[in-house]
PDB file of all heavy atoms in Angstrom:
ATOM      1  N   ILE A 396       1.301  29.903  -2.716  1.00 96.00           N
ATOM      2  CA  ILE A 396       0.649  28.903  -3.567  1.00 96.00           C
ATOM      3  C   ILE A 396       0.739  29.410  -5.131  1.00 96.00           C
ATOM      4  O   ILE A 396       1.036  28.655  -5.878  1.00 96.00           O
ATOM      5  CB  ILE A 396      -0.860  28.795  -3.274  1.00 96.00           C
ATOM      6  CG1 ILE A 396      -0.952  28.219  -1.874  1.00 96.00           C
ATOM      7  CG2 ILE A 396      -1.548  27.949  -4.262  1.00 96.00           C
ATOM      8  CD1 ILE A 396      -0.362  26.812  -1.696  1.00 96.00           C
ATOM      9  N   LEU A 397       0.695  30.725  -5.349  1.00 96.00           N
ATOM     10  CA  LEU A 397       0.770  31.227  -6.695  1.00 96.00           C
ATOM     11  C   LEU A 397       2.166  31.017  -7.138  1.00 96.00           C
ATOM     12  O   LEU A 397       2.395  30.631  -8.421  1.00 96.00           O
ATOM     13  CB  LEU A 397       0.390  32.798  -6.692  1.00 96.00           C
ATOM     14  CG  LEU A 397       0.402  33.428  -8.021  1.00 96.00           C
ATOM     15  CD1 LEU A 397      -0.484  32.755  -9.108  1.00 96.00           C
ATOM     16  CD2 LEU A 397       0.056  34.903  -7.952  1.00 96.00           C
ATOM     17  N   THR A 398       3.205  31.224  -6.313  1.00 96.00           N
ATOM     18  CA  THR A 398       4.457  31.026  -6.716  1.00 96.00           C
ATOM     19  C   THR A 398       4.757  29.569  -7.113  1.00 96.00           C
ATOM     20  O   THR A 398       5.298  29.223  -8.100  1.00 96.00           O
ATOM     21  CB  THR A 398       5.508  31.385  -5.564  1.00 96.00           C
ATOM     22  OG1 THR A 398       5.267  32.789  -5.286  1.00 96.00           O
ATOM     23  CG2 THR A 398       6.903  31.248  -6.029  1.00 96.00           C
ATOM     24  N   LEU A 399       4.132  28.605  -6.320  1.00 96.00           N
ATOM     25  CA  LEU A 399       4.302  27.300  -6.616  1.00 96.00           C
ATOM     26  C   LEU A 399       3.591  26.791  -7.885  1.00 96.00           C
ATOM     27  O   LEU A 399       4.078  25.975  -8.602  1.00 96.00           O
ATOM     28  CB  LEU A 399       3.765  26.462  -5.329  1.00 96.00           C
ATOM     29  CG  LEU A 399       4.460  26.551  -4.056  1.00 96.00           C
ATOM     30  CD1 LEU A 399       3.747  25.845  -2.895  1.00 96.00           C
ATOM     31  CD2 LEU A 399       5.891  25.994  -4.223  1.00 96.00           C
ATOM     32  N   ALA A 400       2.449  27.565  -8.106  1.00 96.00           N
ATOM     33  CA  ALA A 400       1.680  27.258  -9.381  1.00 96.00           C
ATOM     34  C   ALA A 400       2.488  27.667 -10.558  1.00 96.00           C
ATOM     35  O   ALA A 400       2.508  27.017 -11.650  1.00 96.00           O
ATOM     36  CB  ALA A 400       0.412  28.044  -9.352  1.00 96.00           C
ATOM     37  N   LEU A 401       3.267  28.777 -10.437  1.00 96.00           N
ATOM     38  CA  LEU A 401       4.231  29.258 -11.572  1.00 96.00           C
ATOM     39  C   LEU A 401       5.265  28.094 -11.803  1.00 96.00           C
ATOM     40  O   LEU A 401       5.682  27.819 -12.976  1.00 96.00           O
ATOM     41  CB  LEU A 401       4.884  30.595 -11.376  1.00 96.00           C
ATOM     42  CG  LEU A 401       3.858  31.721 -11.178  1.00 96.00           C
ATOM     43  CD1 LEU A 401       4.591  32.965 -10.812  1.00 96.00           C
ATOM     44  CD2 LEU A 401       3.252  31.866 -12.566  1.00 96.00           C
ATOM     45  N   ILE A 402       5.802  27.545 -10.726  1.00 96.00           N
ATOM     46  CA  ILE A 402       6.822  26.478 -10.840  1.00 96.00           C
ATOM     47  C   ILE A 402       6.168  25.204 -11.491  1.00 96.00           C
ATOM     48  O   ILE A 402       6.778  24.641 -12.300  1.00 96.00           O
ATOM     49  CB  ILE A 402       7.329  26.026  -9.442  1.00 96.00           C
ATOM     50  CG1 ILE A 402       8.085  27.305  -8.757  1.00 96.00           C
ATOM     51  CG2 ILE A 402       8.201  24.834  -9.601  1.00 96.00           C
ATOM     52  CD1 ILE A 402       8.479  26.939  -7.374  1.00 96.00           C
ATOM     53  N   VAL A 403       4.858  25.016 -11.164  1.00 96.00           N
ATOM     54  CA  VAL A 403       4.155  23.944 -11.876  1.00 96.00           C
ATOM     55  C   VAL A 403       4.050  24.015 -13.341  1.00 96.00           C
ATOM     56  O   VAL A 403       4.099  23.120 -14.110  1.00 96.00           O
ATOM     57  CB  VAL A 403       2.787  23.733 -11.269  1.00 96.00           C
ATOM     58  CG1 VAL A 403       1.810  22.908 -12.139  1.00 96.00           C
ATOM     59  CG2 VAL A 403       2.826  23.141  -9.869  1.00 96.00           C
ATOM     60  N   VAL A 404       3.874  25.328 -13.803  1.00 96.00           N
ATOM     61  CA  VAL A 404       3.845  25.597 -15.254  1.00 96.00           C
ATOM     62  C   VAL A 404       5.111  25.108 -15.961  1.00 96.00           C
ATOM     63  O   VAL A 404       5.186  24.495 -16.889  1.00 96.00           O
ATOM     64  CB  VAL A 404       3.524  27.196 -15.429  1.00 96.00           C
ATOM     65  CG1 VAL A 404       3.681  27.356 -17.037  1.00 96.00           C
ATOM     66  CG2 VAL A 404       2.226  27.490 -14.963  1.00 96.00           C
ATOM     67  N   VAL A 405       6.289  25.532 -15.302  1.00 95.00           N
ATOM     68  CA  VAL A 405       7.535  25.142 -15.848  1.00 95.00           C
ATOM     69  C   VAL A 405       7.818  23.610 -15.876  1.00 95.00           C
ATOM     70  O   VAL A 405       8.205  22.967 -16.843  1.00 95.00           O
ATOM     71  CB  VAL A 405       8.722  25.772 -14.960  1.00 95.00           C
ATOM     72  CG1 VAL A 405      10.027  25.293 -15.611  1.00 95.00           C
ATOM     73  CG2 VAL A 405       8.612  27.263 -15.083  1.00 95.00           C
ATOM     74  N   VAL A 406       7.385  22.954 -14.710  1.00 95.00           N
ATOM     75  CA  VAL A 406       7.378  21.467 -14.700  1.00 95.00           C
ATOM     76  C   VAL A 406       6.444  20.859 -15.674  1.00 95.00           C
ATOM     77  O   VAL A 406       6.936  19.841 -16.282  1.00 95.00           O
ATOM     78  CB  VAL A 406       6.888  21.020 -13.196  1.00 95.00           C
ATOM     79  CG1 VAL A 406       6.822  19.486 -13.260  1.00 95.00           C
ATOM     80  CG2 VAL A 406       7.944  21.464 -12.206  1.00 95.00           C
ATOM     81  N   SER A 407       5.386  21.373 -16.002  1.00 94.00           N
ATOM     82  CA  SER A 407       4.448  20.833 -16.986  1.00 94.00           C
ATOM     83  C   SER A 407       5.096  20.961 -18.285  1.00 94.00           C
ATOM     84  O   SER A 407       4.939  20.118 -19.249  1.00 94.00           O
ATOM     85  CB  SER A 407       3.101  21.525 -16.895  1.00 94.00           C
ATOM     86  OG  SER A 407       2.583  21.327 -15.631  1.00 94.00           O
ATOM     87  N   LEU A 408       5.672  22.115 -18.712  1.00 93.00           N
ATOM     88  CA  LEU A 408       6.421  22.316 -19.977  1.00 93.00           C
ATOM     89  C   LEU A 408       7.486  21.219 -20.092  1.00 93.00           C
ATOM     90  O   LEU A 408       7.583  20.653 -21.132  1.00 93.00           O
ATOM     91  CB  LEU A 408       7.089  23.727 -19.989  1.00 93.00           C
ATOM     92  CG  LEU A 408       6.144  24.856 -20.236  1.00 93.00           C
ATOM     93  CD1 LEU A 408       6.799  26.159 -20.069  1.00 93.00           C
ATOM     94  CD2 LEU A 408       5.545  24.792 -21.682  1.00 93.00           C
TER      95      LEU A 408
END
Side-chain angles (χ1 to χ4, degrees):
I396 297 296
L397 180 59
T398 302
L399 294 173
L401 294 176
I402 297 175
V403 164
V404 174
V405 177
V406 172
S407 300
L408 283 169

